[in-house]
Amino acid sequence: MSDPTDIPDRDSLQPGPTALRILVGTQLRRLRESRRISREKAGYTIRGSHSKISRMEGGRSSFKLRDVADLLTLYGVADDTERQALLVLAEQANAPGWWQDYRDMIPDWFEAYLGLEQDAALIRTHEIQFVPGLLQTEDYARAVFVQGHKDEPAELIEHRVELRMRRQRILSEPASHKLWVILDEAALHRRVGGGTVMRDQLRHLVEQAELPHVTVQVVPFSFEGVAGGVGPVTILRFAQAELDDVVYLEHLAGAQYLTKDSEVRPYQHLMNELSVQAPPPSATPEILRQIMVTM
C-alpha cells in the first residue's frame, strides 16, 4: 500500500475556486506586507475597511476585479503581465461552486468547508460518533439526518442526502483526491438506522477501504492513548505548495478553521499518533466483518 500521506502530483492538479481565493488572497497579503502598507490604508483605497482586506487576504470572500486592480496599483505592481495573471486568477476564483443549488440548506460556516474539501488533495479525518460523510451509504446518511433534524419534512431530508452523496463524487477521481479516515470503534457499534442499515454501511466501508486512494483505520476500544475531549477533526492538505494545511473543527452550531502552524501542528501530531497506534489499514476489513456479525 502506498503512503496515504502522499498527495497527487502538484503539476497535474488544477486548483478550484476555493483554493484560488486562498492563493490570490495570500499573494495580495504578501504584496501588502512587502510594501509595509496597513490593512486600514488598503481598505480605504478600495472604499472598504480593514476587515474587508482581512477577508480578501484569507480567501473568505469573492473578489471585485476593480478592487484587486486598485490594490495592485497601491502595492506598486506596474508590470502588465503580472497584473493580468493575478486578475485572471481572481476572476476564476469567483466561479460558483457545484453546491450553489443546495445553498438553502447549507450554513454559511459549512459552505467554506465544501470548497476546501473539493480542492483538497489529501483529506485526513478522525471521527468518534458517525461514519464520515464521504463514506456513508444513502440509508445511513438518511438515518443521521432524520435523527438530527426530526422536525424537517421528508423532502428536505432527501435534499440533504442528495447533497451528501454529491460530495462523494470526489472519491471517483482517485488521481486527484486521497482520503484517510481514522474511526473510533464506538462509531461502528452505534446503531444508526437499525441493524440492516448498519450491516450495509459496514459492507460499504469494507469495499471503500480496499480502494487504493482510500485508507481506513479503526481505533479499538482497548486503545488507551486517545486524547480526552477531542471531537471530530479533519485536516485538509492541498497540492499547491503555497497553501498551508487547514484544520476543520465542527461544532453543534458552527465550525473553526485553523491555519496557523502553531494551531495546526497539534492536530497533525494527534493524527500521526492515532495512525501509528491503531491497527494497520490491512486489518480493517476483518475488524469490520467481526463488528458486522454483532449487528
Side-chain angles (χ1 to χ4, degrees), residues 66-102:
R66 184 182 69 170
D67 289 346
V68 175
D70 288 347
L71 288 175
L72 292 177
T73 299
L74 176 66
Y75 301 155
V77 181
D79 182 76
D80 189 61
T81 300
E82 185 178 356
R83 290 175 64 91
Q84 285 305 312
L86 198 59
L87 285 168
V88 167
L89 288 180
E91 185 174 16
Q92 293 173 346
N94 288 335
W98 60 262
W99 53 88
Q100 295 303 307
D101 292 340
Y102 302 90

PDB file of all heavy atoms in Angstrom, residues 66-102:
ATOM      1  N   ARG A  66     -12.123  45.314  -9.838  1.00  0.00           N
ATOM      2  CA  ARG A  66     -11.678  46.695  -9.667  1.00  0.00           C
ATOM      3  C   ARG A  66     -10.895  46.843  -8.371  1.00  0.00           C
ATOM      4  O   ARG A  66      -9.877  47.550  -8.327  1.00  0.00           O
ATOM      5  CB  ARG A  66     -12.881  47.641  -9.664  1.00  0.00           C
ATOM      6  CG  ARG A  66     -12.499  49.121  -9.582  1.00  0.00           C
ATOM      7  CD  ARG A  66     -13.706  50.029  -9.538  1.00  0.00           C
ATOM      8  NE  ARG A  66     -14.433  49.898  -8.263  1.00  0.00           N
ATOM      9  CZ  ARG A  66     -15.401  50.731  -7.904  1.00  0.00           C
ATOM     10  NH1 ARG A  66     -15.776  51.725  -8.703  1.00  0.00           N
ATOM     11  NH2 ARG A  66     -16.019  50.573  -6.745  1.00  0.00           N
ATOM     12  N   ASP A  67     -11.359  46.167  -7.299  1.00  0.00           N
ATOM     13  CA  ASP A  67     -10.647  46.235  -6.022  1.00  0.00           C
ATOM     14  C   ASP A  67      -9.246  45.645  -6.150  1.00  0.00           C
ATOM     15  O   ASP A  67      -8.268  46.210  -5.635  1.00  0.00           O
ATOM     16  CB  ASP A  67     -11.427  45.482  -4.947  1.00  0.00           C
ATOM     17  CG  ASP A  67     -12.699  46.203  -4.534  1.00  0.00           C
ATOM     18  OD1 ASP A  67     -12.841  47.399  -4.871  1.00  0.00           O
ATOM     19  OD2 ASP A  67     -13.544  45.567  -3.882  1.00  0.00           O
ATOM     20  N   VAL A  68      -9.147  44.483  -6.810  1.00  0.00           N
ATOM     21  CA  VAL A  68      -7.840  43.836  -6.969  1.00  0.00           C
ATOM     22  C   VAL A  68      -6.913  44.740  -7.779  1.00  0.00           C
ATOM     23  O   VAL A  68      -5.732  44.927  -7.437  1.00  0.00           O
ATOM     24  CB  VAL A  68      -7.989  42.465  -7.643  1.00  0.00           C
ATOM     25  CG1 VAL A  68      -6.612  41.845  -7.913  1.00  0.00           C
ATOM     26  CG2 VAL A  68      -8.825  41.528  -6.768  1.00  0.00           C
ATOM     27  N   ALA A  69      -7.439  45.330  -8.851  1.00  0.00           N
ATOM     28  CA  ALA A  69      -6.622  46.212  -9.687  1.00  0.00           C
ATOM     29  C   ALA A  69      -6.143  47.425  -8.891  1.00  0.00           C
ATOM     30  O   ALA A  69      -4.968  47.832  -8.995  1.00  0.00           O
ATOM     31  CB  ALA A  69      -7.426  46.657 -10.909  1.00  0.00           C
ATOM     32  N   ASP A  70      -7.026  48.006  -8.092  1.00  0.00           N
ATOM     33  CA  ASP A  70      -6.638  49.171  -7.283  1.00  0.00           C
ATOM     34  C   ASP A  70      -5.584  48.801  -6.243  1.00  0.00           C
ATOM     35  O   ASP A  70      -4.653  49.584  -5.974  1.00  0.00           O
ATOM     36  CB  ASP A  70      -7.865  49.755  -6.582  1.00  0.00           C
ATOM     37  CG  ASP A  70      -8.809  50.473  -7.552  1.00  0.00           C
ATOM     38  OD1 ASP A  70      -8.380  50.729  -8.695  1.00  0.00           O
ATOM     39  OD2 ASP A  70      -9.953  50.754  -7.156  1.00  0.00           O
ATOM     40  N   LEU A  71      -5.715  47.619  -5.647  1.00  0.00           N
ATOM     41  CA  LEU A  71      -4.714  47.182  -4.673  1.00  0.00           C
ATOM     42  C   LEU A  71      -3.365  46.949  -5.345  1.00  0.00           C
ATOM     43  O   LEU A  71      -2.313  47.307  -4.784  1.00  0.00           O
ATOM     44  CB  LEU A  71      -5.192  45.903  -3.968  1.00  0.00           C
ATOM     45  CG  LEU A  71      -6.338  46.077  -2.978  1.00  0.00           C
ATOM     46  CD1 LEU A  71      -6.791  44.715  -2.451  1.00  0.00           C
ATOM     47  CD2 LEU A  71      -5.920  46.974  -1.808  1.00  0.00           C
ATOM     48  N   LEU A  72      -3.363  46.365  -6.523  1.00  0.00           N
ATOM     49  CA  LEU A  72      -2.103  46.143  -7.234  1.00  0.00           C
ATOM     50  C   LEU A  72      -1.421  47.470  -7.551  1.00  0.00           C
ATOM     51  O   LEU A  72      -0.190  47.583  -7.466  1.00  0.00           O
ATOM     52  CB  LEU A  72      -2.363  45.356  -8.521  1.00  0.00           C
ATOM     53  CG  LEU A  72      -2.806  43.902  -8.338  1.00  0.00           C
ATOM     54  CD1 LEU A  72      -3.111  43.256  -9.688  1.00  0.00           C
ATOM     55  CD2 LEU A  72      -1.749  43.090  -7.592  1.00  0.00           C
ATOM     56  N   THR A  73      -2.216  48.475  -7.892  1.00  0.00           N
ATOM     57  CA  THR A  73      -1.641  49.801  -8.132  1.00  0.00           C
ATOM     58  C   THR A  73      -1.055  50.367  -6.848  1.00  0.00           C
ATOM     59  O   THR A  73       0.073  50.904  -6.836  1.00  0.00           O
ATOM     60  CB  THR A  73      -2.724  50.753  -8.678  1.00  0.00           C
ATOM     61  OG1 THR A  73      -3.220  50.236  -9.924  1.00  0.00           O
ATOM     62  CG2 THR A  73      -2.157  52.145  -8.897  1.00  0.00           C
ATOM     63  N   LEU A  74      -1.796  50.250  -5.737  1.00  0.00           N
ATOM     64  CA  LEU A  74      -1.303  50.719  -4.440  1.00  0.00           C
ATOM     65  C   LEU A  74      -0.016  50.015  -4.050  1.00  0.00           C
ATOM     66  O   LEU A  74       0.894  50.646  -3.480  1.00  0.00           O
ATOM     67  CB  LEU A  74      -2.375  50.484  -3.374  1.00  0.00           C
ATOM     68  CG  LEU A  74      -1.998  50.817  -1.927  1.00  0.00           C
ATOM     69  CD1 LEU A  74      -1.761  52.320  -1.764  1.00  0.00           C
ATOM     70  CD2 LEU A  74      -3.078  50.334  -0.959  1.00  0.00           C
ATOM     71  N   TYR A  75       0.089  48.738  -4.382  1.00  0.00           N
ATOM     72  CA  TYR A  75       1.263  47.957  -3.993  1.00  0.00           C
ATOM     73  C   TYR A  75       2.406  48.093  -4.989  1.00  0.00           C
ATOM     74  O   TYR A  75       3.438  47.424  -4.861  1.00  0.00           O
ATOM     75  CB  TYR A  75       0.888  46.474  -3.859  1.00  0.00           C
ATOM     76  CG  TYR A  75      -0.206  46.206  -2.837  1.00  0.00           C
ATOM     77  CD1 TYR A  75      -1.011  45.065  -2.937  1.00  0.00           C
ATOM     78  CD2 TYR A  75      -0.441  47.075  -1.776  1.00  0.00           C
ATOM     79  CE1 TYR A  75      -2.015  44.820  -2.005  1.00  0.00           C
ATOM     80  CE2 TYR A  75      -1.444  46.825  -0.853  1.00  0.00           C
ATOM     81  CZ  TYR A  75      -2.237  45.697  -0.972  1.00  0.00           C
ATOM     82  OH  TYR A  75      -3.235  45.449  -0.058  1.00  0.00           O
ATOM     83  N   GLY A  76       2.237  48.945  -5.995  1.00  0.00           N
ATOM     84  CA  GLY A  76       3.323  49.221  -6.929  1.00  0.00           C
ATOM     85  C   GLY A  76       3.551  48.161  -7.969  1.00  0.00           C
ATOM     86  O   GLY A  76       4.644  48.081  -8.551  1.00  0.00           O
ATOM     87  N   VAL A  77       2.545  47.334  -8.249  1.00  0.00           N
ATOM     88  CA  VAL A  77       2.678  46.299  -9.285  1.00  0.00           C
ATOM     89  C   VAL A  77       2.305  46.942 -10.616  1.00  0.00           C
ATOM     90  O   VAL A  77       1.114  47.081 -10.942  1.00  0.00           O
ATOM     91  CB  VAL A  77       1.776  45.088  -8.996  1.00  0.00           C
ATOM     92  CG1 VAL A  77       1.945  44.025 -10.082  1.00  0.00           C
ATOM     93  CG2 VAL A  77       2.093  44.514  -7.624  1.00  0.00           C
ATOM     94  N   ALA A  78       3.317  47.328 -11.382  1.00  0.00           N
ATOM     95  CA  ALA A  78       3.092  48.040 -12.642  1.00  0.00           C
ATOM     96  C   ALA A  78       3.195  47.135 -13.858  1.00  0.00           C
ATOM     97  O   ALA A  78       2.647  47.465 -14.921  1.00  0.00           O
ATOM     98  CB  ALA A  78       4.095  49.197 -12.773  1.00  0.00           C
ATOM     99  N   ASP A  79       3.895  46.019 -13.728  1.00  0.00           N
ATOM    100  CA  ASP A  79       4.072  45.124 -14.867  1.00  0.00           C
ATOM    101  C   ASP A  79       2.722  44.550 -15.301  1.00  0.00           C
ATOM    102  O   ASP A  79       2.022  43.911 -14.508  1.00  0.00           O
ATOM    103  CB  ASP A  79       5.021  43.983 -14.491  1.00  0.00           C
ATOM    104  CG  ASP A  79       5.275  43.050 -15.660  1.00  0.00           C
ATOM    105  OD1 ASP A  79       6.038  43.418 -16.553  1.00  0.00           O
ATOM    106  OD2 ASP A  79       4.657  41.958 -15.666  1.00  0.00           O
ATOM    107  N   ASP A  80       2.364  44.775 -16.558  1.00  0.00           N
ATOM    108  CA  ASP A  80       1.041  44.370 -17.040  1.00  0.00           C
ATOM    109  C   ASP A  80       0.861  42.860 -17.002  1.00  0.00           C
ATOM    110  O   ASP A  80      -0.235  42.373 -16.690  1.00  0.00           O
ATOM    111  CB  ASP A  80       0.838  44.888 -18.471  1.00  0.00           C
ATOM    112  CG  ASP A  80      -0.590  44.684 -18.948  1.00  0.00           C
ATOM    113  OD1 ASP A  80      -1.510  45.243 -18.320  1.00  0.00           O
ATOM    114  OD2 ASP A  80      -0.792  43.933 -19.929  1.00  0.00           O
ATOM    115  N   THR A  81       1.900  42.108 -17.300  1.00  0.00           N
ATOM    116  CA  THR A  81       1.797  40.650 -17.292  1.00  0.00           C
ATOM    117  C   THR A  81       1.498  40.131 -15.890  1.00  0.00           C
ATOM    118  O   THR A  81       0.634  39.271 -15.694  1.00  0.00           O
ATOM    119  CB  THR A  81       3.098  40.005 -17.815  1.00  0.00           C
ATOM    120  OG1 THR A  81       3.337  40.450 -19.153  1.00  0.00           O
ATOM    121  CG2 THR A  81       2.990  38.487 -17.799  1.00  0.00           C
ATOM    122  N   GLU A  82       2.211  40.683 -14.900  1.00  0.00           N
ATOM    123  CA  GLU A  82       1.986  40.276 -13.513  1.00  0.00           C
ATOM    124  C   GLU A  82       0.591  40.658 -13.046  1.00  0.00           C
ATOM    125  O   GLU A  82      -0.092  39.875 -12.374  1.00  0.00           O
ATOM    126  CB  GLU A  82       3.039  40.916 -12.602  1.00  0.00           C
ATOM    127  CG  GLU A  82       2.954  40.457 -11.148  1.00  0.00           C
ATOM    128  CD  GLU A  82       4.042  41.074 -10.289  1.00  0.00           C
ATOM    129  OE1 GLU A  82       4.906  41.797 -10.831  1.00  0.00           O
ATOM    130  OE2 GLU A  82       4.014  40.832  -9.057  1.00  0.00           O
ATOM    131  N   ARG A  83       0.141  41.853 -13.423  1.00  0.00           N
ATOM    132  CA  ARG A  83      -1.190  42.291 -13.029  1.00  0.00           C
ATOM    133  C   ARG A  83      -2.271  41.395 -13.634  1.00  0.00           C
ATOM    134  O   ARG A  83      -3.188  40.951 -12.949  1.00  0.00           O
ATOM    135  CB  ARG A  83      -1.407  43.750 -13.472  1.00  0.00           C
ATOM    136  CG  ARG A  83      -0.592  44.778 -12.718  1.00  0.00           C
ATOM    137  CD  ARG A  83      -0.799  46.167 -13.321  1.00  0.00           C
ATOM    138  NE  ARG A  83      -2.186  46.613 -13.166  1.00  0.00           N
ATOM    139  CZ  ARG A  83      -2.626  47.318 -12.136  1.00  0.00           C
ATOM    140  NH1 ARG A  83      -1.793  47.670 -11.163  1.00  0.00           N
ATOM    141  NH2 ARG A  83      -3.884  47.696 -12.072  1.00  0.00           N
ATOM    142  N   GLN A  84      -2.145  41.135 -14.925  1.00  0.00           N
ATOM    143  CA  GLN A  84      -3.165  40.338 -15.607  1.00  0.00           C
ATOM    144  C   GLN A  84      -3.219  38.909 -15.075  1.00  0.00           C
ATOM    145  O   GLN A  84      -4.296  38.318 -14.987  1.00  0.00           O
ATOM    146  CB  GLN A  84      -2.893  40.337 -17.120  1.00  0.00           C
ATOM    147  CG  GLN A  84      -3.248  41.633 -17.814  1.00  0.00           C
ATOM    148  CD  GLN A  84      -4.699  42.038 -17.558  1.00  0.00           C
ATOM    149  OE1 GLN A  84      -5.614  41.229 -17.692  1.00  0.00           O
ATOM    150  NE2 GLN A  84      -4.905  43.291 -17.163  1.00  0.00           N
ATOM    151  N   ALA A  85      -2.059  38.359 -14.721  1.00  0.00           N
ATOM    152  CA  ALA A  85      -2.035  36.993 -14.198  1.00  0.00           C
ATOM    153  C   ALA A  85      -2.851  36.889 -12.914  1.00  0.00           C
ATOM    154  O   ALA A  85      -3.647  35.952 -12.731  1.00  0.00           O
ATOM    155  CB  ALA A  85      -0.596  36.548 -13.947  1.00  0.00           C
ATOM    156  N   LEU A  86      -2.688  37.871 -12.014  1.00  0.00           N
ATOM    157  CA  LEU A  86      -3.417  37.836 -10.754  1.00  0.00           C
ATOM    158  C   LEU A  86      -4.899  38.157 -10.967  1.00  0.00           C
ATOM    159  O   LEU A  86      -5.775  37.577 -10.311  1.00  0.00           O
ATOM    160  CB  LEU A  86      -2.801  38.810  -9.755  1.00  0.00           C
ATOM    161  CG  LEU A  86      -3.174  38.575  -8.281  1.00  0.00           C
ATOM    162  CD1 LEU A  86      -2.767  37.178  -7.835  1.00  0.00           C
ATOM    163  CD2 LEU A  86      -2.497  39.599  -7.380  1.00  0.00           C
ATOM    164  N   LEU A  87      -5.189  39.061 -11.895  1.00  0.00           N
ATOM    165  CA  LEU A  87      -6.584  39.396 -12.177  1.00  0.00           C
ATOM    166  C   LEU A  87      -7.335  38.216 -12.790  1.00  0.00           C
ATOM    167  O   LEU A  87      -8.511  37.992 -12.487  1.00  0.00           O
ATOM    168  CB  LEU A  87      -6.652  40.604 -13.116  1.00  0.00           C
ATOM    169  CG  LEU A  87      -6.331  41.963 -12.470  1.00  0.00           C
ATOM    170  CD1 LEU A  87      -6.129  43.039 -13.524  1.00  0.00           C
ATOM    171  CD2 LEU A  87      -7.439  42.373 -11.495  1.00  0.00           C
ATOM    172  N   VAL A  88      -6.661  37.448 -13.617  1.00  0.00           N
ATOM    173  CA  VAL A  88      -7.283  36.259 -14.202  1.00  0.00           C
ATOM    174  C   VAL A  88      -7.583  35.232 -13.113  1.00  0.00           C
ATOM    175  O   VAL A  88      -8.661  34.628 -13.085  1.00  0.00           O
ATOM    176  CB  VAL A  88      -6.377  35.643 -15.287  1.00  0.00           C
ATOM    177  CG1 VAL A  88      -6.865  34.241 -15.672  1.00  0.00           C
ATOM    178  CG2 VAL A  88      -6.346  36.528 -16.519  1.00  0.00           C
ATOM    179  N   LEU A  89      -6.631  35.046 -12.201  1.00  0.00           N
ATOM    180  CA  LEU A  89      -6.862  34.118 -11.089  1.00  0.00           C
ATOM    181  C   LEU A  89      -8.030  34.590 -10.224  1.00  0.00           C
ATOM    182  O   LEU A  89      -8.856  33.781  -9.782  1.00  0.00           O
ATOM    183  CB  LEU A  89      -5.599  33.995 -10.232  1.00  0.00           C
ATOM    184  CG  LEU A  89      -4.420  33.223 -10.834  1.00  0.00           C
ATOM    185  CD1 LEU A  89      -3.263  33.195  -9.848  1.00  0.00           C
ATOM    186  CD2 LEU A  89      -4.826  31.813 -11.218  1.00  0.00           C
ATOM    187  N   ALA A  90      -8.109  35.902  -9.977  1.00  0.00           N
ATOM    188  CA  ALA A  90      -9.205  36.441  -9.163  1.00  0.00           C
ATOM    189  C   ALA A  90     -10.547  36.211  -9.847  1.00  0.00           C
ATOM    190  O   ALA A  90     -11.546  35.874  -9.188  1.00  0.00           O
ATOM    191  CB  ALA A  90      -8.982  37.932  -8.923  1.00  0.00           C
ATOM    192  N   GLU A  91     -10.583  36.371 -11.156  1.00  0.00           N
ATOM    193  CA  GLU A  91     -11.835  36.134 -11.895  1.00  0.00           C
ATOM    194  C   GLU A  91     -12.235  34.662 -11.825  1.00  0.00           C
ATOM    195  O   GLU A  91     -13.398  34.326 -11.615  1.00  0.00           O
ATOM    196  CB  GLU A  91     -11.672  36.571 -13.346  1.00  0.00           C
ATOM    197  CG  GLU A  91     -12.952  36.478 -14.156  1.00  0.00           C
ATOM    198  CD  GLU A  91     -12.799  37.060 -15.547  1.00  0.00           C
ATOM    199  OE1 GLU A  91     -11.647  37.257 -15.985  1.00  0.00           O
ATOM    200  OE2 GLU A  91     -13.829  37.308 -16.197  1.00  0.00           O
ATOM    201  N   GLN A  92     -11.259  33.767 -11.964  1.00  0.00           N
ATOM    202  CA  GLN A  92     -11.544  32.337 -11.882  1.00  0.00           C
ATOM    203  C   GLN A  92     -11.991  31.944 -10.474  1.00  0.00           C
ATOM    204  O   GLN A  92     -12.822  31.043 -10.301  1.00  0.00           O
ATOM    205  CB  GLN A  92     -10.298  31.536 -12.276  1.00  0.00           C
ATOM    206  CG  GLN A  92      -9.907  31.679 -13.732  1.00  0.00           C
ATOM    207  CD  GLN A  92      -8.586  31.005 -14.055  1.00  0.00           C
ATOM    208  OE1 GLN A  92      -7.821  30.645 -13.159  1.00  0.00           O
ATOM    209  NE2 GLN A  92      -8.291  30.846 -15.339  1.00  0.00           N
ATOM    210  N   ALA A  93     -11.462  32.638  -9.482  1.00  0.00           N
ATOM    211  CA  ALA A  93     -11.814  32.329  -8.091  1.00  0.00           C
ATOM    212  C   ALA A  93     -13.258  32.677  -7.778  1.00  0.00           C
ATOM    213  O   ALA A  93     -13.816  32.190  -6.791  1.00  0.00           O
ATOM    214  CB  ALA A  93     -10.875  33.079  -7.137  1.00  0.00           C
ATOM    215  N   ASN A  94     -13.864  33.520  -8.597  1.00  0.00           N
ATOM    216  CA  ASN A  94     -15.254  33.917  -8.373  1.00  0.00           C
ATOM    217  C   ASN A  94     -16.254  32.918  -8.943  1.00  0.00           C
ATOM    218  O   ASN A  94     -17.474  33.113  -8.790  1.00  0.00           O
ATOM    219  CB  ASN A  94     -15.512  35.297  -8.989  1.00  0.00           C
ATOM    220  CG  ASN A  94     -14.850  36.419  -8.204  1.00  0.00           C
ATOM    221  OD1 ASN A  94     -14.607  36.285  -7.013  1.00  0.00           O
ATOM    222  ND2 ASN A  94     -14.542  37.511  -8.877  1.00  0.00           N
ATOM    223  N   ALA A  95     -15.772  31.880  -9.593  1.00  0.00           N
ATOM    224  CA  ALA A  95     -16.686  30.892 -10.182  1.00  0.00           C
ATOM    225  C   ALA A  95     -17.508  30.222  -9.075  1.00  0.00           C
ATOM    226  O   ALA A  95     -16.966  29.874  -8.019  1.00  0.00           O
ATOM    227  CB  ALA A  95     -15.895  29.844 -10.959  1.00  0.00           C
ATOM    228  N   PRO A  96     -18.811  30.038  -9.285  1.00  0.00           N
ATOM    229  CA  PRO A  96     -19.646  29.408  -8.250  1.00  0.00           C
ATOM    230  C   PRO A  96     -19.310  27.934  -8.083  1.00  0.00           C
ATOM    231  O   PRO A  96     -18.934  27.246  -9.036  1.00  0.00           O
ATOM    232  CB  PRO A  96     -21.071  29.596  -8.789  1.00  0.00           C
ATOM    233  CG  PRO A  96     -20.902  29.703 -10.271  1.00  0.00           C
ATOM    234  CD  PRO A  96     -19.584  30.399 -10.485  1.00  0.00           C
ATOM    235  N   GLY A  97     -19.428  27.427  -6.862  1.00  0.00           N
ATOM    236  CA  GLY A  97     -19.198  26.009  -6.598  1.00  0.00           C
ATOM    237  C   GLY A  97     -20.416  25.184  -6.974  1.00  0.00           C
ATOM    238  O   GLY A  97     -21.525  25.701  -7.135  1.00  0.00           O
ATOM    239  N   TRP A  98     -20.223  23.874  -7.111  1.00  0.00           N
ATOM    240  CA  TRP A  98     -21.322  22.990  -7.506  1.00  0.00           C
ATOM    241  C   TRP A  98     -22.450  22.982  -6.470  1.00  0.00           C
ATOM    242  O   TRP A  98     -23.593  22.637  -6.761  1.00  0.00           O
ATOM    243  CB  TRP A  98     -20.809  21.572  -7.712  1.00  0.00           C
ATOM    244  CG  TRP A  98     -20.170  20.944  -6.497  1.00  0.00           C
ATOM    245  CD1 TRP A  98     -18.838  20.859  -6.221  1.00  0.00           C
ATOM    246  CD2 TRP A  98     -20.840  20.325  -5.389  1.00  0.00           C
ATOM    247  NE1 TRP A  98     -18.624  20.240  -5.015  1.00  0.00           N
ATOM    248  CE2 TRP A  98     -19.836  19.895  -4.480  1.00  0.00           C
ATOM    249  CE3 TRP A  98     -22.178  20.093  -5.060  1.00  0.00           C
ATOM    250  CZ2 TRP A  98     -20.138  19.250  -3.277  1.00  0.00           C
ATOM    251  CZ3 TRP A  98     -22.473  19.458  -3.863  1.00  0.00           C
ATOM    252  CH2 TRP A  98     -21.466  19.036  -2.990  1.00  0.00           C
ATOM    253  N   TRP A  99     -22.138  23.371  -5.238  1.00  0.00           N
ATOM    254  CA  TRP A  99     -23.113  23.298  -4.146  1.00  0.00           C
ATOM    255  C   TRP A  99     -24.074  24.482  -4.126  1.00  0.00           C
ATOM    256  O   TRP A  99     -24.919  24.569  -3.232  1.00  0.00           O
ATOM    257  CB  TRP A  99     -22.375  23.236  -2.806  1.00  0.00           C
ATOM    258  CG  TRP A  99     -21.377  24.343  -2.633  1.00  0.00           C
ATOM    259  CD1 TRP A  99     -21.592  25.590  -2.113  1.00  0.00           C
ATOM    260  CD2 TRP A  99     -20.004  24.309  -3.010  1.00  0.00           C
ATOM    261  NE1 TRP A  99     -20.443  26.323  -2.135  1.00  0.00           N
ATOM    262  CE2 TRP A  99     -19.435  25.558  -2.692  1.00  0.00           C
ATOM    263  CE3 TRP A  99     -19.181  23.330  -3.589  1.00  0.00           C
ATOM    264  CZ2 TRP A  99     -18.105  25.862  -2.930  1.00  0.00           C
ATOM    265  CZ3 TRP A  99     -17.853  23.644  -3.820  1.00  0.00           C
ATOM    266  CH2 TRP A  99     -17.337  24.888  -3.497  1.00  0.00           C
ATOM    267  N   GLN A 100     -24.002  25.370  -5.097  1.00  0.00           N
ATOM    268  CA  GLN A 100     -24.892  26.534  -5.101  1.00  0.00           C
ATOM    269  C   GLN A 100     -26.364  26.133  -5.131  1.00  0.00           C
ATOM    270  O   GLN A 100     -27.220  26.829  -4.585  1.00  0.00           O
ATOM    271  CB  GLN A 100     -24.570  27.432  -6.303  1.00  0.00           C
ATOM    272  CG  GLN A 100     -23.184  28.062  -6.270  1.00  0.00           C
ATOM    273  CD  GLN A 100     -22.952  28.881  -5.031  1.00  0.00           C
ATOM    274  OE1 GLN A 100     -23.741  29.766  -4.698  1.00  0.00           O
ATOM    275  NE2 GLN A 100     -21.862  28.618  -4.316  1.00  0.00           N
ATOM    276  N   ASP A 101     -26.673  25.000  -5.751  1.00  0.00           N
ATOM    277  CA  ASP A 101     -28.064  24.536  -5.812  1.00  0.00           C
ATOM    278  C   ASP A 101     -28.594  24.097  -4.456  1.00  0.00           C
ATOM    279  O   ASP A 101     -29.800  23.870  -4.308  1.00  0.00           O
ATOM    280  CB  ASP A 101     -28.190  23.373  -6.803  1.00  0.00           C
ATOM    281  CG  ASP A 101     -27.955  23.817  -8.241  1.00  0.00           C
ATOM    282  OD1 ASP A 101     -28.076  25.027  -8.512  1.00  0.00           O
ATOM    283  OD2 ASP A 101     -27.641  22.956  -9.082  1.00  0.00           O
ATOM    284  N   TYR A 102     -27.702  23.961  -3.477  1.00  0.00           N
ATOM    285  CA  TYR A 102     -28.103  23.481  -2.149  1.00  0.00           C
ATOM    286  C   TYR A 102     -27.956  24.562  -1.082  1.00  0.00           C
ATOM    287  O   TYR A 102     -28.033  24.259   0.106  1.00  0.00           O
ATOM    288  CB  TYR A 102     -27.250  22.271  -1.752  1.00  0.00           C
ATOM    289  CG  TYR A 102     -27.319  21.112  -2.722  1.00  0.00           C
ATOM    290  CD1 TYR A 102     -26.429  21.010  -3.773  1.00  0.00           C
ATOM    291  CD2 TYR A 102     -28.281  20.114  -2.571  1.00  0.00           C
ATOM    292  CE1 TYR A 102     -26.485  19.944  -4.667  1.00  0.00           C
ATOM    293  CE2 TYR A 102     -28.341  19.045  -3.462  1.00  0.00           C
ATOM    294  CZ  TYR A 102     -27.442  18.968  -4.501  1.00  0.00           C
ATOM    295  OH  TYR A 102     -27.510  17.916  -5.379  1.00  0.00           O
TER     296      TYR A 102
END
